[in-house]
Amino acid sequence: MSDQRTTSAEAAPRLTSHLRALSLIAPLQRAEDNKGMLHVAAKAAERVDMRYLALAAIELLIDRMGAGGTASRAELIEYLADLARLQSRGLSGTDALALAEHVFDGLTNARDRRARFKVRLFDPDKADGVIFEFALLRAEPLPDGTVGYRLTQEAIEIHLSLLAHDPLTATQVSEIIVGEFLKRGLYDHAVSAAERTRTNSIRLAEALRLLMAEARRAILKVMWHQELGPKMEEARSLLDASIMREGAMLAQLSDTAADVTDETDRRHLSRIRNLLLDVQTRHRKLIVVVQKTAEEYLHLQADALKLRPLARLPDLENEILDPLLRAPDSFLIENADGLFGAISGTLPPLVLDLGTTIAAFQPDIEDIDAIDPDYAFDDPTAGIALPFDEATIARSEQFARETILAAGAITLGEILERAARARPEDDAFQRCLFFILEQAIDPRTTDVTGDASILATRFDAGFVEGTDVRFSRAAATGGGIHASQ
């Protein structure tokens, strides 16, 4: 069991520096987590990011220290309150000041009476771990009797560690840092820098892999010379420089190892050598991939363009018309319609446009002199003679009178049904009867049960409503009574 515990402890990664970095940013996150405990408007304060305010305070102090100055507590509070109101328009001035003071207290560790932050970090080499103490802001008395605040080294580390770098740049920087630590004999710091170098090399390999994968997914849209080519050329140049730098550092380690007698330093040098060999091997594989990418990508793009073969139009005269002229007449007669449609294409259906046809034969008024029209009126057209003879009209009037008088009140449909049963073969009689009954609806026409109807009069029954008309005997005052049914 003892051997197993010892082996486990030796294999455990030493992540104390990583825990240290997390401890530095813990006060910034704590200010965000605890803002709900403040006596401020909850909805307005919810939109305010306290981490942004803490980083903004660090940025302001960096600007002041760059000019050799400091910032007072009042200046920091006022600056952070303005930024809080910028994030939440509904935040009151009092609540903004409360949030700003909360951030300032978090950066200065007000809950522990402005003492230094103190955290315990796990370390596999030490049973009780290590105690890490740090501060973010440092108060400094000024000649005018006031107090100004500066950033500590740990706060500046926060600012630097949160800066984003592309994988190529980060790899170069971390390698240069490893070389500088080796020159100064700071082997423990060189180990940490070499570990960051390995991490950055893995990040670089993944970034290049994703870049090429995205390019292959859009093989027809990404142009090599304008988009992907320059990035790959930059990566190739930097990888060449990295491989040469790593080779120089490995040679330096070989020369230095013989002169180092301290066991801890020798262990650090062995660790650095293994890390740099891993990075160099990865970079050598990457540079081969980058060098082959251009040719492979261009071949893939060319193959993608060949997926759709070009369509060739036939030679109409040599390949179609000439063979048709040599074909037998029977074949041409049977397939004339199909051959004509294939050669000439589909014709739209013919539509006679009367308006366009008439307009084509009319002169353009703009092209001729305006002529006043001369209207001439012809004699009235003679009326059309009735198609019924006098005997048919008399029989129809007599039948209508007798039927209406016998019934007292009867509809038009019933009269016509009786006429059809009485004279089924006499179409002229039935039509004449219908016209007489139809005209009898008009008040201008004489009652059909009295005097003769006037067939020559044009009938207009627009005032009649309903589906059928009921006829009855004339009233005492004269005139027919016709009701719509």
Side-chain angles (χ1 to χ4, degrees), residues 241-271:
S242 292
I243 293 173
M244 293 179 61
R245 189 183 301 109
E246 292 151 8
M249 286 190 291
L250 288 172
Q252 180 184 355
L253 288 174
S254 299
D255 297 338
T256 305
D259 301 331
V260 176
T261 57
D262 184 77
E263 187 62 28
T264 302
D265 290 342
R266 292 180 65 85
R267 187 167 62 250
H268 287 332
L269 292 177
S270 177
R271 176 63 174 167

Side-chain angles (χ1 to χ4, degrees), residues 162-211:
L162 296 179
L163 295 177
H165 300 286
D166 63 275
L168 287 173
T169 303
T171 304
Q172 306 300 308
V173 172
S174 60
E175 287 180 348
I176 294 173
I177 293 175
V178 173
E180 291 298 322
F181 282 143
L182 289 177
K183 290 179 183 178
R184 296 166 56 188
L186 302 175
Y187 302 128
D188 53 344
H189 295 290
V191 171
S192 299
E195 291 174 349
R196 288 195 298 270
T197 302
R198 183 187 61 175
T199 303
N200 287 327
S201 68
I202 296 172
R203 178 187 172 201
L204 173 60
E206 183 65 13
L208 292 177
R209 186 190 68 82
L210 291 177
L211 179 64

Side-chain angles (χ1 to χ4, degrees), residues 268-285:
H268 287 332
L269 292 177
S270 177
R271 176 63 174 167
I272 294 171
R273 183 176 183 277
N274 292 334
L275 290 171
L276 291 180
L277 283 173
D278 179 71
V279 171
Q280 189 180 48
T281 302
R282 186 175 294 104
H283 285 177
R284 289 184 183 278
K285 293 180 180 179

Side-chain angles (χ1 to χ4, degrees), residues 22-254:
L22 289 176
S23 301
L24 290 177
I25 64 174
L28 282 65
Q29 182 62 44
R30 191 179 300 118
E32 172 69 18
D33 296 338
N34 297 337
K35 69 180 181 181
M37 303 174 62
L38 301 176
H39 297 287
V40 295
K43 291 185 178 180
E46 186 179 356
R47 298 174 56 89
V48 180
D49 191 338
M50 310 299 282
R51 297 166 300 181
Y52 173 82
L53 296 182
L55 292 173
I58 294 175
E59 185 74 21
L60 174 64
L61 289 175
I62 286 178
D63 292 340
R64 292 294 180 88
M65 293 170 63
T70 60
S72 65
R73 179 182 183 278
E75 290 175 329
L76 285 170
I77 296 296
E78 182 181 1
Y79 177 67
L80 297 180
D82 291 340
L83 292 180
R85 283 192 295 269
L86 184 64
Q87 293 186 62
S88 179
R89 301 295 183 181
L91 193 66
S92 64
T94 303
D95 290 347
L97 290 175
L99 294 176
E101 290 177 354
H102 178 63
V103 172
F104 180 81
D105 291 343
L107 294 176
T108 56
N109 198 16
R111 68 175 184 173
D112 292 334
R113 298 182 179 181
R114 314 288 182 184
R116 293 173 63 85
F117 294 97
K118 187 177 181 179
V119 294
R120 179 185 174 277
L121 307 179
F122 172 76
D123 193 326
D125 296 337
K126 299 180 181 180
D128 297 331
V130 296
I131 301 300
F132 175 47
E133 296 185 6
F134 67 95
L136 298 179
L137 300 186
R138 184 179 70 251
E140 179 179 307
L142 301 179
D144 58 357
T146 60
V147 177
Y149 286 88
R150 291 177 177 272
L151 294 178
T152 62
Q153 289 295 323
E154 293 85 356
I156 297 176
E157 286 183 28
I158 293 176
H159 181 75
L160 293 176
S161 64
L162 296 179
L163 295 177
H165 300 286
D166 63 275
L168 287 173
T169 303
T171 304
Q172 306 300 308
V173 172
S174 60
E175 287 180 348
I176 294 173
I177 293 175
V178 173
E180 291 298 322
F181 282 143
L182 289 177
K183 290 179 183 178
R184 296 166 56 188
L186 302 175
Y187 302 128
D188 53 344
H189 295 290
V191 171
S192 299
E195 291 174 349
R196 288 195 298 270
T197 302
R198 183 187 61 175
T199 303
N200 287 327
S201 68
I202 296 172
R203 178 187 172 201
L204 173 60
E206 183 65 13
L208 292 177
R209 186 190 68 82
L210 291 177
L211 179 64
M212 290 183 288
E214 292 176 1
R216 288 190 179 97
R217 280 196 294 268
I219 196 71
L220 298 179
K221 296 181 181 179
V222 179
M223 300 304 296
W224 174 266
H225 297 290
Q226 287 79 13
E227 302 178 32
L228 197 58
K231 296 180 182 179
M232 290 299 168
E233 182 63 25
E234 180 185 7
R236 188 190 65 78
S237 301
L238 293 179
L239 287 173
D240 280 336
S242 292
I243 293 173
M244 293 179 61
R245 189 183 301 109
E246 292 151 8
M249 286 190 291
L250 288 172
Q252 180 184 355
L253 288 174
S254 299

